[in-house]
Amino acid sequence: MSGYDPAAHDWRALRGAAMPGGLGIPWAKKAGDQWLYGLLTGPEHANPAGAVHGGVLMAFADHGLSFLAWEAAERAPCTTIQLNSHFLDAIQPGEFLELRGEVTRRTRGLVFVRGVIGARDEHN
């Protein structure tokens, strides 16, 4: 398991917004005018090849980006209608996921967001 301690790096746990399926508690942190979202990973998030399962990454992306959409929609109920992904590298269990996202467009009925997930270990 990672030695990375989000609380020691000004992250706060969003205990009231747990990930579905017992995937964990997301973390949040304000960096300038941007919100960042995080998730501690562990062995329970691994796929048979030993990397964090792509489904965990997609669920985390959907969950974190929904916070941005919800705020942009003035806290009205939101539903994901499309979620696309490109996996560029494997993330190892024990790394801390960090999502940086942004609202790219808002119409009367839709909010468009995009984000990038990276990983931190105990050394960064």
Side-chain angles (χ1 to χ4, degrees), residues 8-76:
H9 292 85
D10 300 323
W11 291 86
R12 68 179 175 89
L14 300 177
R15 299 203 184 283
M19 297 271 299
L23 291 174
I25 304 295
W27 294 75
K29 177 179 178 174
K30 187 90 175 197
D33 62 350
Q34 182 181 41
W35 279 99
L36 308 176
Y37 297 97
L39 181 68
L40 285 169
T41 65
E44 67 277 13
H45 296 110
N47 63 21
V52 172
H53 195 289
V56 171
L57 299 175
M58 293 299 292
F60 174 60
D62 186 39
H63 202 70
L65 291 172
S66 72
F67 292 128
L68 297 172
W70 180 68
E71 285 290 342
E74 299 173 356
R75 298 187 173 191

